[in-house]
Structures are given as C-alpha cells and as structure tokens.
Amino acid sequence: MDSVFDELYQKYHHDVFQFLFYMVRNREQAEDLVQEVYIRVFKSYNRFEGKSSEKTWLFSIARNVAIDYFRKQKGWKERILEKFDWSSNQVKDDHPIPEEMAVQREEIKWVYKCLEYCTVDQKAVVILRFIHDLSIVETAEALGWTESKVKTTQHRSLKVLKKHMETFYRREEGNIEKVRVER
Amino acid sequence: MRKSEWSDEELVELLKQMPKIKDYRHPRDIYQNLSRKKRKTVSWILPGIAAAAALFLFFILAPKFMDTNHYSINNAKQESTKEAKIAKDNSDASGMANQESQADKYSTLKKAEGQNDYAGKTAVYDDEIKGGVVLTYWVPDNQAQNLVPVSTIVKNTEGKDWLTLYNEHMANLNESEWGLSEFYPLQATLHYDNANETVIVDVPSDHPYRQGTATEQIFLGALKNDISSNSSVKTIKFTTNGEPGIELSNDFYEKLTITDVKKHAYLFYYPNGSDVPFLVPTLESYKDIKAAIDAMKSGIEEYQLQRSLLPNLAIQDVSANDNTLTITFAKDASLEDERLAVWSMEAILLTAKEFGFEKVVVSNPPAANIGPFDLTKEIKVPAAPNLRTIEK
C-alpha cells in the first residue's frame, strides 16, 4: 500500500470521515466523499507547503469536497444521471438517523437534527470547533477564513441551534402534556 | 438536563458529547476503491454513447422507411382499390353511375392492354412488328414474387442497337398503371462491350438493390431476363461507380453468366383491380411440352398464378413434329368465354415457343376460330408476350 496513504490513514482518516459524516449526514455518502478527499490529496500532495498543519489542510480539502457535493446534488445533470446509474438506484432515506445517534440521549439526537438547519458554513464551524475540538485559529486555517469570521459564524450557528432546540423541546413538552390530559 | 433554554456553554457541552463516528471499512478496501472511484466519475459516458448510437441509427433508418419501401405503398394502393370495389358492390341503388365508371375503367384497361389491332390478343406477333424493334422488360409484380415480361414495339429506331433503345425506353414504362411494381428505370447504366459481347452494368455506390434478398433476386433476375429476351448476350459484368463488382445484400458479383433456361409454362397473373391477365412463365422448367401443358392445368397459389388451361377447353394430347406442335382438344371442348379462350390459346403458343416450336396446329378445332386465331390453319407462335404501349 502507498506509504503516504498509510500515514494519512493512520493519523487523520477517522477525523476526516467524521467531519464528512456530520456534514452530509449519511454514512454511504461520507464513505464516497472520503475517497474523493484522498484523490485530491494525492493530486496536490506535492504542493503541500507545510504553511498550515497537515490536519487543517486535510479538513480544508474535506470541506471543499463537501461543498462540491452539495453543489452537485442540486444539479439537473446529477438527477438525470441518477436514473441511468442503476447501481445506486435504490430507495434511500435522505436523512436517516444513523445508528450511532439512535442510541444517544434525547438531547443529543435533537442537536443532531438541529444541525440540519445550519448553513454549510455554520455546520463546518460547529463540527470543527466543538465536535473536533479545533481552536479558533485552526478552524480559521482549515476554512481559510479570518478568525473574526469564525467567531461570528460560530455565534450565529449556536443561535440557530438554540432556536431549534427550543422548538424540539416545546414539541416534546406538548406531547407529554397531551398524554397527561388523555389520562 | 431537559429544559426549555440552553446557554451557549450547555450547547457546546452537548456538541462535545456527540458520538465519534468511525469508518468501519478496512484501509486496504479504501485504498483499492480509490482507483475504481476515478473511473466512476465518467459515468455519463455510457448513456451518452447509447444516446448517440440511437440517434445515429435513427438518421440511418428514417429515410429508408420513408421512401424506397415501394412494396408497401403498392400494397396500400391495392387495399384502396379493394375498398373501392366493395363500395361499388354495396351501392346497388345508385348503381348506374358506378357501373358507368366501372365500364370506363374497363375500357381504359382494354386500351392499356395493348393497342392491338387483333382484339383480345395480348402478345406481340411477327406481323405487328412492321420494321419496329420489340423490347421486353421483366417487371416484378406487386408482391415481388413473379417477374412479368412486358413487351413493347418501338418504331423509328434510326438504326440504334437494342441496348440503346432499351435504355431510352425504360423510363417510360407505366408499371403502376399496369398493376405492377415500380421498378424501371433501373438505377444503373447499361452499355455494351462489343469486343467481349458483354453487357456492362454500372450502378452508383448508393444503389438501392442491396436491400434484402428479394430485391437482389429481382434485380438479378430482371437483368438476366431482360438481356436474354432482347439479345443473345451471355455475360453481364458489374461495376459500381466504375469499380469492378457490385455488392448486393448476400453476395458480391463481378460477372454473371446467362444460362438460357427456357421450357417454362405460361400461367395467368391477374394484377389487382384488373380482369386482364398477364401471361407469366413459371419459375420451374419442365422436361417436355407435355409436362408443361400439364402444369398449365393448375395454378400456383403461393405465386398468385392461375391456371391458363380452361377446364372446358381441355387438351387431350400434344404431339411434336419438327418445329410444329400439334394439339388435340378434348371432345367436349367448347368456347364458353372467348376472351379467356384467346388468352389460353396464347399461353399455349408461348409455352410452345419455350420448347422451341415455331407453329402450333390444332387437330380437332372445336370452332373455326378462337377470337383472332384461325384454328383451321397453323398458327405462328408470338414474338414476345404481353404487349403494352408506352408513351414517350
């Protein structure tokens, strides 16, 4: 096996995979996209200048791959070709709750669902900052933003999450109350 | 921790508790998939090629469906004439007008039947030629089953040879008017190579005769028959655009030798909508005139050929003497339908000619004459079958 691949795999594979998973919220897609990340990495590995850390570099590639995926997903071409591509023409739930989530506490599930309401940028910031525990500087490097942009995006995304967490909460509360009344 | 409001810290805490997601695949599989993945990105190529091929086929096939399929067009025509007939039969009340038009039709048919001085005759006789040249063209019928010989007399030949006349006149044939398939003019130029006594047939590279076995057979059959009926040439050479050889649907031909197979029996072929038959030789040849006469007593249904010897004008015996054929009719032979009897007589004469006879004698004539034929004298065989006039 390629030694470069081996090294990257050992060090970062699961991080990159997890990032992509939370971005696209689908295991199969994440598996496909992580391949794409490797392809791009191999293409430009020689050009890696070491200005940033390898990890943030990989995250920045993964983010671009995810953005390209979202862009493609909307295209008409993709939709038509899907009809021809019988291998993937299976009935699919677009956003199933993954196994790992299903076994978690209610609040964690809510957070996962609420992430859907964030924009791609907001999602990326939340995932890198909190799930991957990157610092603001690292996040800024990975996204190619200024630190202040990371901060404001982080602030906004937390606001979105909060808002939707509350609606989930209220819905839940309503259900409990209903049950009480019926009794 | 269930509550209606979350602080930023609590939310961050929750996010940090999000489960770690792992890729369960083996790194080797991932590595191997990398190369496969690259190929997958061009998945549009296959449907693309399929679409291009379909379009290509469509453009190739569409024009063929549109024009050259003249058989089906002729079939459609037949259908419509049939319908017209039914319509006529049904409208008895207003029958008079219809009958008139029908009569008109017959009279035009009779005219077309050959502006023959001898009423009822269909063939060409020596005394009609009067210095003209007889050209015989073999035309496929509507179903492309039989080749029907159609002859015409060309006057004012100005000393041109048969092939020049043949080329000049083939555009003037009215096949569809006669109830046959449009076939002439041939998509080919014919010229005569004097030195080798060969007819050279040159076709353009987009010639239509390679479409199917039937077309090929008709084309070759018509050429052979045309040349053997009009000349004594024994060899045909083919060229395509000047290059030697011709590609037909089954074979590639450079040369064709005409073997004079005669000894056919003549039967009646009625084109749709006509009550005047063409006299058409069978495909099969017979060992002697007796066998051929026997064959004339029954039609060949699959070729839509009808018997040319009538049950009430049966032939009891034939005997040959040099170039004269003597026929003996059955005792109870009678002339019920004189028109039919004339054609039947012509079928006998043409069949006799196939076997090399020049004259036919009737030993026991049931009447003094059948139509124009004087049965008390010997009758000369015709020069060519199925006289039709063609207008320039």
Side-chain angles (χ1 to χ4, degrees):
Chain A
M1 218 187 299
D2 198 303
S3 63
V4 176
F5 172 78
D6 217 17
E7 193 196 323
L8 289 175
Y9 182 86
Q10 295 292 346
K11 283 196 201 156
Y12 310 112
H13 182 81
H14 292 294
D15 279 340
V16 172
F17 181 75
Q18 177 168 284
F19 171 76
L20 286 169
F21 177 86
Y22 278 113
M23 286 299 281
V24 301
R25 316 165 72 76
N26 178 305
R27 179 171 278 279
E28 281 84 41
Q29 277 310 330
E31 283 175 1
D32 275 0
L33 294 183
V34 85
Q35 310 269 22
E36 179 66 25
V37 171
Y38 279 118
I39 290 168
R40 291 199 194 179
V41 166
F42 290 148
K43 266 189 205 156
S44 56
Y45 193 75
N46 300 335
R47 268 181 282 144
F48 177 59
E49 292 161 0
K51 265 186 202 165
S52 51
S53 79
E54 246 179 344
K55 190 175 177 178
T56 53
W57 179 60
L58 275 171
F59 275 131
S60 72
I61 291 177
R63 172 181 165 260
N64 288 333
V65 167
I67 287 174
D68 285 353
Y69 163 76
F70 287 126
R71 225 178 257 151
K72 247 194 209 167
Q73 214 184 18
K74 286 170 201 153
W76 58 273
K77 217 166 98 188
E78 205 57 17
R79 257 174 249 164
I80 291 170
L81 286 176
E82 220 162 69
K83 302 272 183 254
F84 285 105
D85 191 3
W86 290 284
S87 59
S88 68
N89 205 3
Q90 292 152 352
V91 183
K92 240 188 251 169
D93 185 356
D94 276 344
H95 297 290
I97 281 265
E99 279 172 61
E100 288 86 348
M101 279 312 149
V103 298
Q104 300 292 326
R105 276 188 296 138
E106 206 72 4
E107 281 90 349
I108 304 279
K109 276 188 229 170
W110 290 353
V111 175
Y112 179 73
K113 280 182 191 159
C114 289
L115 268 176
E116 200 177 331
Y117 297 103
C118 293
T119 64
V120 176
D121 280 347
Q122 287 170 352
K123 244 193 275 180
V125 169
V126 169
I127 295 167
L128 290 177
R129 281 284 289 123
F130 306 125
I131 301 180
H132 284 274
D133 257 336
L134 261 59
S135 68
I136 297 227
V137 179
E138 282 173 318
T139 309
E141 238 171 52
L143 300 179
W145 294 351
T146 61
E147 284 167 40
S148 63
K149 188 174 178 189
V150 173
K151 279 180 200 159
T152 50
T153 313
Q154 175 185 323
H155 179 72
R156 278 193 201 126
S157 50
L158 285 176
K159 222 164 131 189
V160 171
L161 285 179
K162 247 191 262 176
K163 189 181 133 206
H164 285 97
M165 284 294 278
E166 270 150 37
T167 37
F168 271 109
Y169 175 76
R170 245 175 273 133
R171 208 184 291 159
E172 189 80 348
E173 199 73 330
N175 283 348
I176 292 166
E177 234 142 69
K178 237 197 221 161
V179 173
R180 274 190 206 136
V181 169
E182 273 167 14
R183 267 183 202 155
Chain B
M1 215 166 77
R2 199 172 264 181
K3 48 192 264 181
S4 64
E5 271 185 46
W6 281 268
S7 68
D8 280 3
E9 288 73 32
E10 283 163 343
L11 209 50
V12 168
E13 199 52 43
L14 275 177
L15 281 166
K16 289 194 173 171
Q17 286 171 29
M18 294 287 273
K20 299 278 169 235
I21 309 287
K22 288 209 163 138
D23 191 351
Y24 302 123
R25 294 173 300 169
H26 193 278
R28 202 191 312 116
D29 296 339
I30 299 171
Y31 188 71
Q32 275 165 0
N33 276 344
L34 285 182
S35 49
R36 210 176 302 156
K37 167 91 191 183
K38 271 182 205 161
R39 252 176 275 141
K40 215 184 157 192
T41 50
V42 287
S43 64
W44 57 272
I45 281 189
L46 234 102
I49 290 173
L55 265 178
F56 179 70
L57 275 179
F58 176 78
F59 280 116
I60 296 251
L61 294 178
K64 298 206 175 176
F65 282 128
M66 278 183 220
D67 47 68
T68 51
N69 206 345
H70 45 79
Y71 300 135
S72 65
I73 293 170
N74 280 336
N75 280 344
K77 259 188 210 163
Q78 280 172 22
E79 214 91 302
S80 67
T81 48
K82 254 185 215 161
E83 271 162 30
K85 261 192 178 170
I86 291 166
K88 269 173 196 165
D89 292 344
N90 286 348
S91 56
D92 271 338
S94 59
M96 280 309 285
N98 277 330
Q99 266 172 18
E100 267 169 39
S101 72
Q102 215 163 350
D104 277 352
K105 200 174 150 201
Y106 282 142
S107 64
T108 50
L109 268 174
K110 267 186 194 160
K111 257 182 232 159
E113 180 186 316
Q115 286 161 341
N116 206 322
D117 303 339
Y118 301 81
K121 277 186 197 175
T122 64
V124 186
Y125 296 87
D126 284 347
D127 48 353
E128 297 168 50
I129 298 173
K130 291 172 191 151
V133 170
V134 179
L135 288 175
T136 303
Y137 295 88
W138 293 70
V139 187
D141 69 17
N142 265 330
Q143 263 71 41
Q145 286 178 314
N146 302 300
L147 284 171
V148 179
V150 178
S151 306
T152 187
I153 303 171
V154 183
K155 307 259 161 89
N156 311 321
T157 57
E158 298 156 2
K160 290 171 187 164
D161 68 354
W162 70 271
L163 193 55
T164 316
L165 294 169
Y166 172 90
N167 283 332
E168 274 176 11
H169 289 277
M170 72 180 161
N172 305 329
L173 301 180
N174 309 312
E175 295 100 315
S176 55
E177 198 179 287
W178 302 329
L180 303 174
S181 275
E182 278 297 338
F183 186 68
Y184 293 93
L186 296 171
Q187 300 289 307
T189 46
L190 282 71
H191 44 98
Y192 186 57
D193 177 0
N194 255 324
N196 300 315
E197 294 190 347
T198 301
V199 172
I200 295 165
V201 179
D202 185 55
V203 291
S205 46
D206 59 345
H207 71 85
Y209 303 116
R210 61 166 72 91
Q211 292 159 12
T213 311
T215 320
E216 170 177 343
Q217 279 173 357
I218 287 168
F219 176 64
L220 293 177
L223 266 183
K224 276 191 203 169
N225 288 353
D226 282 357
I227 292 170
S228 96
S229 303
N230 295 314
S231 73
S232 56
V233 175
K234 291 282 173 254
T235 333
I236 308 174
K237 261 192 187 156
F238 290 104
T239 56
T240 305
N241 243 345
E243 301 291 320
I246 180 174
E247 193 197 330
L248 297 177
S249 73
N250 292 329
D251 265 312
F252 183 83
Y253 296 91
E254 276 193 30
K255 210 171 151 182
L256 208 62
T257 310
I258 301 168
T259 41
D260 244 344
V261 188
K262 293 248 166 182
K263 304 191 173 179
H264 303 282
Y266 274 76
L267 296 178
F268 291 164
Y269 171 76
Y270 288 89
N272 281 63
S274 166
D275 62 344
V276 181
F278 281 100
L279 275 66
V280 177
T282 55
L283 271 183
E284 205 179 328
S285 45
Y286 299 91
K287 66 174 169 25
D288 54 27
I289 182 78
K290 256 188 191 155
I293 296 275
D294 272 343
M296 290 161 70
K297 288 174 188 163
S298 49
I300 304 174
E301 211 172 299
E302 54 182 305
Y303 286 97
Q304 301 188 10
L305 294 176
Q306 293 184 18
R307 58 182 297 170
S308 54
L309 283 184
L310 310 172
N312 57 7
L313 193 67
I315 291 179
Q316 202 177 51
D317 195 23
V318 290
S319 60
N321 179 15
D322 258 2
N323 51 18
T324 307
L325 179 75
T326 310
I327 57 176
T328 311
F329 284 112
K331 282 192 190 96
D332 56 353
S334 67
L335 296 173
E336 248 172 48
D337 183 338
E338 201 173 1
R339 242 157 56 111
L340 264 178
V342 171
W343 298 328
S344 188
M345 194 63 210
E346 288 196 300
I348 296 168
L349 292 172
L350 284 166
T351 307
K353 192 188 176 193
E354 288 274 307
F355 287 86
F357 296 104
E358 282 167 17
K359 289 165 194 161
V360 172
V361 178
V362 180
S363 66
N364 59 340
N369 58 322
I370 300 179
F373 297 113
D374 186 346
L375 298 186
T376 55
K377 294 179 184 160
E378 48 182 34
I379 308 163
K380 276 183 91 177
V381 297
N386 302 319
L387 176 65
R388 294 290 185 276
T389 43
I390 52 177
E391 282 124 44
K392 229 177 179 178

